[in-house]
Amino acid sequence: MTVLIINALAVLIVQSVMGQPGKPELKKITESVYAYTGVPMGTPGNIFSTNAGIVIGNDAVLVVDTLTSVKEAEGFAADIRKISDKPIRYVVNTHYHLDHVFGNSLFADMGARIIGHVKCREAIISDGDKILENPAAFGLPADFWEGTRTVAPDTAFERGIIIDLGGITVKLIHTGFASHSAGSIIVHIPSQDVLFSGDILFTDVHPYIADGDLPGWEKNLDFIHAMNVSRIIPGHGPLSSNKDIEDMKAYLPFFDKKAKELCAKEKDVGKLTAAMLEVLPQRGGGDFIVTMNLQLRYLSENRDGQYRKQ
Ligand SMILES: [Zn+2]
């Protein structure tokens, strides 16, 4: 569906701020948790720089998000193998956006169970194949998705699930409120004092909000804040803390208010983007992401929440 394609496009240009662009690496966060950072995008100048990660238990490895293609996932899996030879038994999709799920097929072929929210599963089933048919729509080379298949979560949940990796328990939580997408979830590892937020948190990078439910998103940020976790691995950006959650919570209503004010007087998206960037906090990815947010959420006929279909 076009909506999903446009939504996914919005993550195309995001500056790499957690790792070096083009130098993917597993960064040790705690004894059992690593963040995978620095994965480059396949087009010149465009970087998803999506964070992924792993949790290692006594019996198994759990992967959090699988990047944008099976080729990227192959590099990820090879790097995992340098750290652990335990079976990769579980993959979690924090949400359905293409830069988080199109490595699923590699891990499924390795025997992993793919787990996500029911809304994430529905979106991937309905739209995944259509996206893979048209890499040019994302500025990607024709062979970018060679070997990549659509694989949706085979295990889906509404509110929560607990996964025991042996000595380490992982909690997958949906707060009951939509946020960055309707099926965006939190991955909490209590014993490690670590949380993967998926794209509920963007740190140092302008968030993609056109697909979001802003009031619900703020509730999700409050929920994470109240968990008081020391180390938060965001969907995009560096290792974060509650301070970054507070910044994100301030950003969303500020963006919404300013965008509504400006769009009431001006329709030229280039001028609007420049005006927004003057008042928004300094973050990466602005020209592209802010433009996309304005176009899809505030200038389109489908504006203001109509994109919350997933
Ligand atoms: Zn996303």
Side-chain angles (χ1 to χ4, degrees):
M1 169 195 305
T2 311
V3 168
L4 178 56
I5 290 172
I6 294 168
N7 288 340
L9 246 183
V11 292
L12 269 174
I13 301 179
V14 178
Q15 288 180 351
S16 174
V17 286
M18 191 161 184
Q20 288 293 314
K23 289 188 178 172
E25 60 177 329
L26 273 165
K27 285 191 173 175
K28 190 168 187 171
I29 305 297
T30 68
E31 200 53 39
S32 303
V33 178
Y34 292 74
Y36 197 56
T37 67
V39 178
M41 182 53 180
T43 54
N46 296 353
I47 298 171
F48 279 103
S49 192
T50 307
N51 296 326
I54 57 170
V55 185
I56 306 171
N58 294 332
D59 305 328
V61 174
L62 176 144
V63 168
V64 180
D65 286 340
T66 61
L67 307 171
T68 311
S69 71
V70 79
K71 285 178 197 159
E72 288 181 2
E74 281 168 0
F76 184 19
D79 286 339
I80 294 170
R81 280 290 161 254
K82 291 175 195 163
I83 288 175
S84 174
D85 59 4
K86 290 176 178 149
I88 300 170
R89 206 166 279 163
Y90 307 100
V91 163
V92 174
N93 290 153
T94 59
H95 63 300
Y96 74 91
H97 288 161
L98 68 79
D99 54 324
H100 297 261
V101 304
F102 273 134
N104 281 0
S105 59
L106 178 88
F107 293 102
D109 290 348
M110 294 167 75
R113 171 164 283 183
I114 315 289
I115 307 167
H117 192 267
V118 289
K119 301 273 188 187
C120 167
R121 173 180 149 84
E122 286 167 8
I124 295 171
I125 289 172
S126 65
D127 295 353
D129 286 350
K130 290 172 206 147
I131 291 172
L132 292 180
E133 281 168 13
N134 194 10
F138 307 95
L140 295 166
D143 64 349
F144 185 79
W145 278 314
E146 204 172 83
T148 300
R149 305 190 320 277
T150 299
V151 171
D154 55 74
T155 304
F157 65 95
E158 290 273 4
R159 288 300 296 271
I161 199 167
I162 291 174
I163 303 167
D164 190 336
L165 303 177
I168 298 267
T169 299
V170 179
K171 294 184 174 178
L172 311 186
I173 302 163
H174 187 267
T175 64
F177 298 100
S179 57
H180 173 71
S181 71
S184 288
I185 62 164
I186 296 161
V187 181
H188 184 211
I189 309 100
S191 68
Q192 305 295 299
D193 199 12
V194 175
L195 182 149
F196 288 88
S197 67
D199 285 358
I200 295 171
L201 177 64
F202 285 66
T203 298
D204 297 348
V205 178
H206 288 284
Y208 174 57
I209 67 166
D211 196 21
D213 177 321
L214 299 187
W217 201 333
E218 289 181 47
K219 290 191 178 85
N220 274 262
L221 291 166
D222 284 341
F223 185 97
I224 294 173
H225 196 278
M227 291 171 80
N228 212 19
V229 176
S230 300
R231 306 169 194 89
I232 302 171
I233 299 166
H236 302 266
L239 185 62
S240 302
S241 67
N242 262 358
K243 169 70 169 63
D244 302 297
I245 295 286
E246 290 159 19
D247 290 348
M248 184 80 184
K249 194 183 168 194
Y251 183 106
L252 295 174
F254 181 77
F255 187 104
D256 192 51
K257 183 167 173 285
K258 284 289 169 191
K260 282 175 177 159
E261 279 173 18
L262 291 168
C263 290
K265 297 178 278 188
E266 173 65 66
K267 301 297 173 199
D268 181 276
V269 76
K271 287 180 185 164
L272 284 166
T273 299
M276 286 297 286
L277 289 175
E278 270 183 32
V279 296
L280 286 169
Q282 289 279 324
R283 290 180 173 225
D287 282 348
F288 187 82
I289 298 285
V290 171
T291 298
M292 190 65 74
N293 287 336
L294 290 168
Q295 274 178 336
L296 292 180
R297 192 173 184 104
Y298 299 94
L299 296 173
S300 156
E301 286 181 11
N302 294 319
R303 65 185 177 272
D304 215 14
Q306 292 306 301
Y307 283 83
R308 297 187 310 245
K309 291 184 178 170
Q310 307 299 341

